[in-house]
Amino acid sequence: MKLSIERATLLKAVAQAQSVVERRNTIPILANVLIEAEGSDATFRATDLDIEVVDKAPAQVERAGATTVSAVTLNEIVRKLPDGALVTLTEDSASGRLTIEAGRSNFSLATLPKEDFPVMASSDYATNFSADAPTLRRLFDKSKFAISTEETRYYLNGVYMHVADADGGKVLRCVATDGHRLARIDADLPADADGMAGVIVPRKTVGELRKLLDDDDMKIAVSVSETKVRFATPEITLTSKVIDGTFPDYTRVIPQGNTRKLEVDASEFAKAVDRVATVSSERSRAVKLQLDEDRLILSVNAPDSGAAEEELAVAYGDERLEIGFNAKYLLEIASQVDRENAVFMFNSSGDPTLMREGNDTSAVYVVMPMRV
Amino acid sequence: MDCDAFYASVEKRDNPDLEGKPVIIGGGRRGVVSTCCYIARIKGVRSAMPMFQALKLCPEAVIVRGRMDRYVEVSRQVRTMMDELTPTVEPLSLDEAFMDLTGTAKLHGAPPAVMLARLTKRMSDEIGITGSIGLSHNKFLAKVASDLDKPRGFSVIGAAETTDFLRPKPVRLIWGIGPAAQASLEAAGIRTFDDLLRWDRRDLNDRFGSMGERLYALARGEDARRVSAHTPVKGLSNETTFHDDTNDTDILDGHIWRMAEKVSGRAKAKDKAGRVVTLKLKRANHKLLSKRQILHQPTQLADTIYRTARGLFDQVGDQGPYRLLGVGISDLVPAGDADREGDLLDPDAGKRAEAERAADAIREKFGTDAILKGRALR
C-alpha cells in the first residue's frame, strides 16, 4: 500500500479514529486504525467492538492495499506535522512497517496484519431516515448532561432516542436521566422515522456523534435496528451497538400537576447560583431557594465553610415556598436555556420540579430537590 | 499495651466457673475462633481457626459466644486508666493501644517504665484482666516488644540495642507483611532483618515500590509514624460466617439485609454516613470476592446499603457456595450530608426511608427486637 494525503484531511480522519479506540486495551489490534487504500480514496477504520467509525478521505493511491497501525501514535505524529504538508504512507510488507513521510520528517511504525482487524457485523436496519445536523445536535446536546454514570443502572448510561406522542403529534424524542435530573427533548419527526424502535444510544457514541454535527448544512443519514444505530455523512460512518436494556418509563417521572410558577432570567439565575455555591463544600452543594411574591432568595449555608445569600427579582405569584437543590444540577439545566426566560414549575419542597424555556414544551427538564 | 487474651479474660473474670478451663470465644460449630485463653493456646488453638479444628485440638474447651457490649465496657475502663498516663492514646482495637509517654516523666515523677508497670498492676487489681507492655522509641518497635513475652509481658527495646535486636529476626515481624509479601521478599533472598540491611535504599525501592521505602527504614528500626489520639474511622463493616455453606439466594439475601442493618445501626450511632458500599463474600474454598460501589450521595440508611449490596451481589453471579458474607460502608462523612436527595426513578425510596426512621424510633423506645423486617427472618 502506498498513498499520499493532505495533512488536514488525514488529521481529521485519524483524530476521530483515535478517540474511538480504548486507551487501555488488552487486545493489541483494537488500539490500531485500519487503513485501506483503493481507487481514489483512503478509508480509516477504528473500533472498540461497541462503536465503529469509518472515515473515507480523498487520497492519491499509488498502490492499493491495507494495513493497521497504532491510532494514538499516528494521530500524535500527524498532529505535529506542519499544516499544509502532503503526507505519504507506505507499507513495507517485508519489514512489517508503515513509513510516514512529510517534508523532511520520516517515521516508521510497527503494523499488525489487517486480517486480524475486527470489522463490525452489518445489521438489517429497519428504519432509515435523514435528519439535519442542527436537529440532532439540539436533541443530544440538551440531553447528554443527564446521562447516568452508574454502572448498576447501565440502561441509563445513554440517551433514549425514540418516537413519542406529543401534544402536536408524533415527535423524535431524546430522553436521558440519572435519577436525579431528567432531560426530555423533542424534534419534528423526520420523514420515514415513524415506526423506529426506541434505542438507548451509549454515552460514548453520543460524544463521537457530536463530531459529525458541526456543519449546519449537513444531512445525517440515520439508520436504526433493534441492536444498532448508524449515523452517516458522505465521509464518515459511525456505527454503534445500542445499550441492551429497557429504558424506564420516564413519563410518570415528569410532574403534571405542578402549579407554582417561577419565571426568571436564566443567565442571571445561573450566575447567582454559581456565586452563592462558592462557599459550599464540594461534596454537597445544596442551594436553598426561598420564593416569595416576585422575589427569590438564593442561599447556601455550609456550617464548616461559610454562608452566602443573594436576592433576585423574579416573576412569582404563588404562596411562599422553600426548596433546596444540588447547585450543579441547577446550573446545568439553567445553561440549557438560550432564548427565553427559564420557567420553573414547583409543587412542594419534596417533589420533583419541572423546568422549561418560556412556554416551549419541546425541551423540558425535571430535577429532584435536596433536603436543606 | 496489649491485653492478654482479652475477651477470654473478661469471660473468666465474670464467670469463676471458667477458671482453669480452656475457653474459646467464637460463634457456633461453623464459626471461627475469635480469640481464646492461654490454656487453649497451649493446645494449639489460634485466632481465626475454624471451630471444628479448634475442637479437635482441644475437645474439652468451653465455647463462649462473644459479648461485645461487655468487652466494650471493660475496654473503656482500661482506656480511662491509660488516659491518666498520657493524653496521646491511640487505640488499635478494644484490647490494644499505643501510648506516647514522651515528656511525662516529670509530670508523674516516675519514668514511663514504672508508670506502665503500675498500669498493668492496676488493670489486674482493679479490673481483673492482664496486659503486656512493649516499651520502645517508636510504634513499630513498641508493638514488636509487646508481643515478646506475652502474657503478663514487659519488654523494653532501647535505641542502642535496636539494630542488634532486629538483625536475626524474621521480616514477618513487620506488621503488614503477610504470606504474599513474605514470599516476594523471600524470592529476593530476604528472610531476616540482617538480609534486609544488605540492600540499599534504591534497590529496595525499585524492587518493592512503595513498600521498599518502609522496609529500608524498618530494617534500621526507624518508624516516623506518630502516635495519634485522633485516628479517624475509615469505614464500618459487619460480616458473618454461616452455619452451612450456602448458595441459596433467599438465605444470602437475608444475610445481606441483616449485615446492612447492623452497619446502618452503627453509622447512625456514630452520626456518620458512607459514600462507598462494599460487599464481601468468601467462597466455600476460602477464596475472597469483594465488590464496591460508589454512591451518588452518602447514606446511612439500611435500605440503601442493602439495595446497593444486593445489586453488587447480583453482579457477582452464581459463584458460590459461600461461607461468609460481609457488608460495609466507607469514605465516611457527617450524617448531615447524607440521604438528602430523592430518586426520580424510585419514588418509594422516600417512604422507605421514613419507615426506617420510624422503626428506628420504635427500637429506641422499646428495644432492638421490638420491630423488624420480614426479610430479617430469612
Side-chain angles (χ1 to χ4, degrees):
Chain A
M1 181 192 81
K2 183 169 184 183
L3 66 94
S4 296
I5 185 166
E6 210 270 314
R7 182 248 180 199
T9 313
L10 178 59
L11 181 60
K12 197 160 163 273
V14 176
Q16 180 117 30
Q18 69 92 31
S19 84
V20 166
V21 304
E22 284 291 338
R23 287 293 167 273
R24 281 178 300 245
N25 238 316
T26 46
I27 310 168
I29 192 80
L30 292 182
N32 281 15
V33 52
L34 171 64
I35 307 168
E36 292 168 298
E38 176 85 68
S40 56
D41 291 312
T43 58
F44 298 84
R45 189 184 295 261
T47 183
D48 66 358
L49 296 181
D50 289 326
I51 304 177
E52 182 192 69
V53 65
V54 183
D55 199 330
K56 189 180 254 190
Q60 300 156 26
V61 179
E62 224 168 283
R63 194 165 70 241
T67 189
T68 82
V69 288
S70 160
V72 171
T73 314
L74 182 60
N75 179 57
E76 282 298 293
I77 290 172
V78 178
R79 196 170 59 80
K80 290 170 184 170
L81 289 175
D83 201 15
L86 186 71
V87 187
T88 304
L89 306 179
T90 313
E91 186 214 5
D92 179 358
S93 39
S95 67
R97 303 247 155 193
L98 179 78
T99 60
I100 301 144
E101 289 164 277
R104 295 187 203 172
S105 308
N106 196 315
F107 307 84
S108 160
L109 293 184
T111 63
L112 286 171
K114 61 177 190 291
E115 293 77 19
D116 294 353
F117 194 88
V119 174
M120 195 176 264
S122 58
S123 189
D124 286 327
Y125 295 104
T127 309
N128 295 281
F129 62 90
S130 168
D132 302 330
T135 303
L136 291 177
R137 202 162 66 204
R138 175 172 172 276
L139 282 171
F140 286 97
D141 277 1
K142 283 184 175 294
S143 57
K144 67 183 174 195
F145 74 91
I147 298 174
S148 169
T149 50
E150 219 180 296
E151 279 171 39
T152 41
R153 295 203 275 191
Y154 60 92
Y155 47 84
L156 299 180
N157 297 164
V159 170
Y160 181 46
M161 180 174 79
H162 60 297
V163 177
D165 286 311
D167 295 342
K170 285 188 172 175
V171 291
L172 180 62
R173 175 174 284 177
C174 278
V175 178
T177 181
D178 64 356
H180 306 284
R181 55 257 162 86
L182 176 144
R184 188 195 78 187
I185 318 298
D186 292 348
D188 291 342
L189 190 67
D192 303 327
D194 199 6
M196 177 187 85
V199 285
I200 307 169
V201 183
R203 167 194 294 276
K204 184 173 173 184
T205 309
V206 172
E208 293 303 320
L209 168 63
R210 188 62 183 81
K211 296 171 189 162
L212 275 57
L213 305 177
D214 278 329
D215 182 354
D216 279 357
D217 299 327
M218 187 66 81
K219 288 271 186 199
I220 313 290
V222 185
S223 306
V224 180
S225 76
E226 297 270 347
T227 55
K228 283 193 187 122
V229 60
R230 194 176 71 194
F231 301 93
T233 69
E235 294 84 29
I236 304 171
T237 305
L238 175 69
T239 312
S240 169
K241 290 183 188 165
V242 296
I243 293 175
D244 184 11
T246 309
F247 200 80
D249 177 13
Y250 63 87
T251 52
R252 60 190 182 90
V253 169
I254 297 169
Q256 305 296 334
N258 287 11
T259 51
R260 297 165 161 188
K261 181 177 170 187
L262 159 74
E263 192 164 348
V264 58
D265 181 303
S267 98
E268 285 305 310
F269 176 75
K271 281 182 205 156
V273 169
D274 196 22
R275 273 193 293 269
V276 294
T278 315
V279 298
S280 168
S281 63
E282 198 58 50
R283 285 194 155 175
S284 56
R285 290 159 57 91
V287 173
K288 183 156 84 176
L289 279 62
Q290 285 170 269
L291 283 158
D292 235 323
E293 176 105 40
D294 289 344
R295 200 168 68 132
L296 167 65
I297 298 171
L298 294 163
S299 64
V300 168
N301 193 359
D304 296 339
S305 50
E309 194 176 288
E310 182 158 341
E311 194 176 317
L312 280 176
V314 297
Y316 182 75
D318 227 294
E319 59 188 285
R320 218 180 121 75
L321 176 70
E322 276 189 16
I323 187 166
F325 292 100
N326 184 323
K328 182 169 157 253
Y329 300 164
L330 283 184
L331 286 174
E332 275 170 351
I333 63 167
S335 70
Q336 303 303 325
V337 175
D338 35 31
R339 297 185 315 274
E340 293 179 61
N341 283 340
V343 172
F344 287 86
M345 301 297 293
F346 301 99
N347 188 26
S348 80
S349 63
D351 294 317
T353 293
L354 187 138
M355 200 280 289
R356 59 169 195 259
E357 191 168 352
N359 285 320
D360 181 6
T361 53
S362 74
V364 299
Y365 305 90
V366 182
V367 58
M368 199 70 192
M370 194 172 185
R371 190 162 46 82
V372 284
Chain B
M1 196 287 302
D2 185 6
C3 295
D4 303 324
F6 180 63
Y7 298 175
S9 304
V10 173
E11 293 300 338
K12 286 194 177 187
R13 184 196 73 158
D14 289 354
N15 180 2
D17 287 352
L18 296 174
E19 189 56 47
K21 290 181 187 158
V23 172
I24 295 176
I25 313 287
R29 179 176 59 85
R30 283 270 311 180
V32 293
V33 175
S34 161
T35 181
C36 62
C37 74
Y38 282 88
I39 304 174
R41 287 188 201 188
I42 291 167
K43 298 277 191 149
V45 181
R46 293 287 176 269
S47 295
M49 181 181 272
M51 197 58 87
F52 72 90
Q53 201 181 333
L55 286 174
K56 211 178 277 176
L57 291 166
C58 186
E60 70 277 24
V62 183
I63 300 173
V64 180
R65 269 205 181 271
R67 295 177 300 156
M68 203 42 82
D69 311 352
R70 189 81 181 111
Y71 309 147
V72 170
E73 200 182 313
V74 178
S75 172
R76 283 214 186 101
Q77 294 175 316
V78 178
R79 174 67 193 261
T80 312
M81 289 184 180
M82 294 192 285
D83 285 340
E84 287 172 23
L85 292 190
T86 168
T88 323
V89 178
E90 178 184 332
L92 281 181
S93 58
L94 284 181
D95 59 348
E96 208 177 347
F98 286 115
M99 282 172 275
D100 185 352
L101 294 167
T102 310
T104 58
K106 206 171 214 173
L107 176 72
H108 297 306
V114 171
M115 295 313 294
L116 290 168
R118 282 187 197 154
L119 169 72
T120 50
K121 179 153 192 319
R122 267 188 81 191
M123 278 165 56
S124 113
D125 291 351
E126 295 173 29
I127 305 176
I129 60 155
T130 67
S132 295
I133 297 292
L135 177 60
S136 194
H137 51 98
N138 63 42
K139 283 169 94 171
F140 161 56
L141 292 166
K143 167 95 177 144
V144 168
S146 73
D147 287 333
L148 280 182
D149 68 342
K150 274 177 110 20
R152 292 172 189 270
F154 197 105
S155 306
V156 182
I157 303 174
E161 67 254 25
T162 297
T163 340
D164 287 339
F165 165 81
L166 287 176
R167 225 175 248 284
K169 297 277 188 293
V171 285
R172 63 161 183 275
L173 214 57
I174 298 169
W175 194 84
I177 301 277
Q182 232 179 94
S184 84
L185 283 165
E186 207 149 298
I190 300 172
R191 283 210 174 108
T192 63
F193 279 79
D194 203 23
D195 299 331
L196 206 48
L197 280 172
R198 280 196 284 272
W199 284 62
D200 74 18
R201 190 181 212 137
R202 187 186 301 176
D203 290 346
L204 279 175
N205 273 315
D206 288 351
R207 177 130 187 170
F208 301 106
S210 61
M211 188 172 78
E213 194 60 38
R214 218 176 127 228
L215 288 172
Y216 180 82
L218 294 181
R220 285 150 186 81
E222 291 163 12
D223 178 9
R225 289 173 303 161
R226 298 179 66 91
V227 177
S228 160
H230 307 285
T231 324
V233 189
K234 291 211 177 82
L236 299 166
S237 66
N238 278 83
E239 58 184 53
T240 177
T241 303
F242 315 139
H243 285 283
D244 298 293
D245 293 345
T246 183
N247 231 350
D248 187 321
T249 312
D250 281 348
I251 292 176
L252 290 165
D253 185 75
H255 285 297
I256 297 174
W257 168 253
R258 282 187 294 274
M259 293 304 111
E261 210 174 22
K262 279 190 181 174
V263 169
S264 157
R266 288 168 62 200
K268 286 167 185 163
K270 285 182 194 288
D271 238 354
K272 293 280 181 199
R275 188 174 280 278
V276 175
V277 172
T278 310
L279 174 78
K280 179 174 152 187
L281 287 162
K282 195 185 267 182
R283 288 156 66 177
N285 61 7
H286 288 256
K287 207 173 160 227
L288 260 184
L289 291 169
S290 173
K291 275 191 141 328
R292 69 203 295 269
Q293 159 104 30
I294 300 171
L295 299 173
H296 168 77
Q297 59 175 342
T299 191
Q300 58 167 201
L301 291 173
D303 183 65
T304 309
I305 298 171
Y306 160 75
R307 276 164 197 270
T308 312
R310 178 62 212 249
L312 291 170
F313 176 78
D314 291 338
Q315 281 177 26
V316 171
D318 185 21
Q319 297 188 36
Y322 302 104
R323 70 187 322 270
L324 172 148
L325 183 148
V327 172
I329 56 170
S330 52
D331 198 354
L332 300 183
V333 298
D337 290 346
D339 306 303
R340 298 169 71 179
E341 260 176 90
D343 188 337
L344 284 167
L345 301 171
D346 185 4
D348 292 338
K351 285 181 197 152
R352 290 197 307 270
E354 276 173 42
E356 185 173 328
R357 304 233 181 255
D360 286 344
I362 291 170
R363 287 204 191 99
E364 178 104 344
K365 199 163 176 185
F366 300 107
T368 41
D369 295 332
I371 184 166
L372 54 108
K373 280 212 189 239
R375 199 186 279 143
L377 297 171
R378 278 182 170 173

